[in-house]
Amino acid sequence: MAPKYTSLIFLFLLLNSFQYSFGGGHDYHDALRKSILFFEGQRSGKLPPDQRIKWRRDSALHDGASAGVDLTGGYYDAGDNVKFVFPMAFTTTLLSWSIIDFKRNIGNELGNAVKAVKWGTDFLLKATAKEGVIYVQVGDAFSDHSCWERPEDMDTLRTVYKIDENHPGSDVAGEIAAALAAASIVFRSLDSSYSNLLLDRAVKVFDFANRHRGAYSSSLHSAVCPFYCDFDGYQDELLWGAAWLHKATRRRQYREYIVQNEVILRAGDTINEFGWDNKHAGINVLISKEVLMGKAPDLKSFQVNADAFICSILPGISHPQVQYSPGGLIVKPGVCNMQHVTSLSFLLLTYSNYLSHANHVVPCGSMTATPALLKHIAKRQVDYILGDNPQRMSYMVGYGPHYPLRIHHRGSSVPSVAAHSARIGCKEGSHYFFSPNPNPNRLIGAVVGGPNLTDSFPDARPFFQESEPTTYVNAPLVGLLAYFSAHPN
């Protein structure tokens, strides 16, 4: 069991945590409430009467009209005004997984969390309503990114992009299938007819993704790249979609699909990656639950991969793709580092629960990773986000006494319609982009891209890698905060 090495990692985590701790602990439930509230600030379309972020107004009410379809609703992915369906679907999948695994810990925020899922699935149903066609993006990203204007004033091109049998997109279709299947589990006990609708659509979308194989960034390269290119291929999304359909339906066909396609679809590739583009670590953790319960010995290789993923991100071990900052933050190459922090921490916590129920530990060479150790690592990452870090600042807007004030977000940084009723045009907004003043509208619950490898953070809009929030950072954080609100120690 090598307890000596496990104890050393515990000591590293404890010393690191105490060094930067505020000393008073964190209000995880308050952070949970705010992390869910954030999604209301990202809503597109006609806002409901119970909208709680009041500085937002209706926007993009004619989305889809140019293609003769209704594509209103859904989420803006980040600080821009484009609806990218690939990350939107992943956000919906992770929100659903957060509720599925941590429902009992969410408490009185369950209703709001479910509404956040439904805002995503309602749009995904619209995007997949037409037989043989899936709409995967609304808005010309280059046109949008050349302007700095609030979504309520948006006059950039709302071009509609689609995939079909001649222009495949198994990656985005596979993710949509996963999102709809996962959400069907969320609604099973709340609204059976809606749950059935989601699951039926998930089956059809997955069949489409599997029959017409190809990457959507090959079919739509000029539209989706470099914003949400699929850099890791579509194979992982097919396994991911099948895994969620198996969980939602219990149909043997999906289990057989996973077994038969494990090697062909490269299940063992890049096992320490998980995010909107790469699902490998998530696939392995999700499928491993049944293996650990003794129900799926034929899927044992996925548990082997999940164990290897755990060993690959332990602190104190040198790895080429996973580093820890001096303050203890997980750091990986690429844009928006916090997406890796929350998604990988979510898997650590989820897998620790699966291990606990199975009375299992993970052997990592000369040491052993226990469920308790994995929870400690995940909690350390959450605490870092909430303020236990060298900057002594929370990276969630509205949480704690010190948090980012100048986030890279059009709606937050430009005066609201209530404060400035006259239209603010495409280039007129540049004044607010370059302003040193704090954003006039607080996007409560938004978690920004975060600090770099040296724990430094520029609280300035032009530094979008550090200061831009995204929906897929918050989605897995919902599950983490739900758990730690019920288990703070």
Side-chain angles (χ1 to χ4, degrees):
M1 295 270 296
K4 174 183 177 182
Y5 295 97
T6 303
S7 298
L8 286 174
I9 291 183
F10 265 118
L11 182 61
F12 166 82
L13 291 167
L14 287 171
L15 289 175
N16 185 272
S17 181
F18 286 143
Q19 181 179 1
Y20 300 114
S21 174
F22 282 125
H26 288 290
D27 187 341
Y28 297 108
H29 187 75
D30 180 54
L32 170 65
R33 179 181 65 82
K34 289 171 178 173
S35 70
I36 297 171
L37 179 61
F38 159 73
F39 290 97
E40 297 191 19
Q42 295 301 111
R43 286 172 169 171
S44 179
K46 185 166 182 59
L47 303 182
D50 62 355
Q51 170 79 11
R52 294 178 295 166
I53 293 188
K54 299 298 184 181
W55 52 264
R56 282 296 322 281
R57 294 288 190 273
D58 299 345
S59 63
L61 296 180
H62 303 289
D63 276 0
S66 62
V69 292
D70 175 12
L71 293 176
T72 58
Y75 291 112
Y76 302 119
D77 71 299
D80 54 28
N81 300 324
V82 181
K83 291 191 296 204
F84 296 99
V85 177
F86 198 8
M88 189 195 305
F90 178 70
T91 293
T92 305
T93 307
L94 267 290
L95 274 173
S96 297
W97 197 358
S98 290
I99 295 173
I100 292 166
D101 274 31
F102 302 105
K103 180 178 180 179
R104 69 179 63 182
N105 303 138
I106 296 179
N108 60 8
E109 284 300 312
L110 180 60
N112 290 321
V114 170
K115 286 179 183 177
V117 171
K118 192 171 187 294
W119 197 268
T121 53
D122 281 351
F123 177 84
L124 295 178
L125 288 172
K126 292 180 179 181
T128 57
K130 190 174 180 180
E131 192 75 26
V133 173
I134 299 176
Y135 296 97
V136 299
Q137 184 173 314
V138 183
D140 179 273
F142 293 96
S143 173
D144 178 89
H145 285 56
S146 69
C147 294
W148 193 262
E149 57 187 349
R150 58 197 182 193
E152 293 82 3
D153 287 335
M154 178 169 41
D155 57 0
T156 50
L157 296 172
R158 301 304 288 173
T159 311
V160 173
Y161 301 91
K162 67 180 181 180
I163 57 171
D164 54 34
E165 61 181 34
N166 297 316
H167 307 88
S170 302
D171 33 26
V172 64
E175 185 60 64
I176 292 172
L180 294 172
S184 76
I185 301 173
V186 171
F187 285 97
R188 186 174 292 161
S189 62
L190 302 172
D191 186 337
S192 59
S193 61
Y194 188 69
S195 174
N196 290 335
L197 173 62
L198 294 172
L199 191 53
D200 289 345
R201 188 66 59 80
V203 169
K204 293 177 181 177
V205 172
F206 179 77
D207 181 61
F208 175 89
N210 189 47
R211 280 189 294 111
H212 307 295
R213 295 191 180 187
Y216 93 131
S217 50
S218 296
S219 301
L220 297 169
H221 187 274
S222 62
V224 304
C225 298
F227 311 100
Y228 287 101
C229 273
D230 182 357
F231 295 102
D232 292 292
Y234 61 83
Q235 292 85 352
D236 52 328
E237 277 81 24
L238 288 176
L239 282 173
W240 179 241
W244 275 108
L245 277 164
H246 178 248
K247 186 176 180 68
T249 66
R250 312 312 302 171
R251 295 176 191 168
R252 185 168 184 82
Q253 70 186 82
Y254 294 112
R255 179 166 171 171
E256 291 176 348
Y257 180 95
I258 294 168
V259 172
Q260 293 169 5
N261 288 279
E262 175 188 354
V263 175
I264 298 171
L265 297 179
R266 308 200 307 266
D269 285 10
T270 55
I271 57 171
N272 61 352
E273 295 283 349
F274 186 53
W276 63 263
D277 182 30
N278 191 318
K279 312 304 185 311
H280 284 103
I283 294 165
N284 292 317
V285 168
L286 180 65
I287 294 175
S288 291
K289 182 177 183 180
E290 284 195 55
V291 181
L292 289 165
M293 293 169 64
K295 296 182 178 180
D298 53 337
L299 298 175
K300 176 70 175 178
S301 58
F302 288 90
Q303 187 213 327
V304 172
N305 290 339
D307 285 356
F309 155 69
I310 295 300
C311 298
S312 77
I313 62 173
L314 294 179
I317 301 174
S318 177
H319 301 290
Q321 294 187 357
V322 181
Q323 296 176 280
Y324 284 80
S325 72
L329 184 70
I330 290 174
V331 179
K332 290 176 70 68
V335 178
C336 183
N337 180 65
M338 211 63 88
Q339 66 176 310
H340 305 299
V341 176
T342 60
S343 62
L344 295 178
S345 297
F346 178 87
L347 293 185
L348 285 171
L349 177 61
T350 302
Y351 200 54
S352 74
N353 285 339
Y354 299 166
L355 293 171
S356 293
H357 293 146
N359 194 27
H360 187 78
V361 296
V362 179
C364 296
S366 59
M367 64 159 292
T368 297
T370 64
L373 174 61
L374 303 190
K375 286 185 173 70
H376 271 278
I377 297 172
K379 185 173 183 292
R380 176 68 194 100
Q381 298 304 303
V382 172
D383 288 346
Y384 186 109
I385 292 171
L386 297 182
D388 291 0
N389 56 64
Q391 298 292 332
R392 295 291 199 274
M393 77 180 298
S394 159
Y395 291 105
M396 175 186 286
V397 175
Y399 179 85
H402 183 36
Y403 51 81
L405 299 175
R406 302 165 190 84
I407 67 173
H408 182 98
H409 191 278
R410 288 159 175 76
S412 173
S413 64
V414 177
S416 68
V417 173
H420 189 287
S421 58
R423 180 179 173 278
I424 300 174
C426 169
K427 298 302 181 182
E428 294 176 68
S430 299
H431 164 73
Y432 302 102
F433 175 76
F434 291 109
S435 170
N437 297 327
N439 288 8
N441 312 306
R442 286 195 307 165
L443 184 55
I444 300 296
V447 177
V448 296
N452 58 24
L453 186 57
T454 64
D455 296 299
S456 61
F457 175 76
D459 186 7
R461 290 173 212 97
F463 293 90
F464 68 92
Q465 294 191 16
E466 293 87 359
S467 66
E468 186 171 20
T470 62
T471 57
Y472 44 88
V473 167
N474 275 57
L477 187 60
V478 168
L480 288 159
L481 292 170
Y483 179 84
F484 291 120
S485 67
H487 306 87
N489 299 315

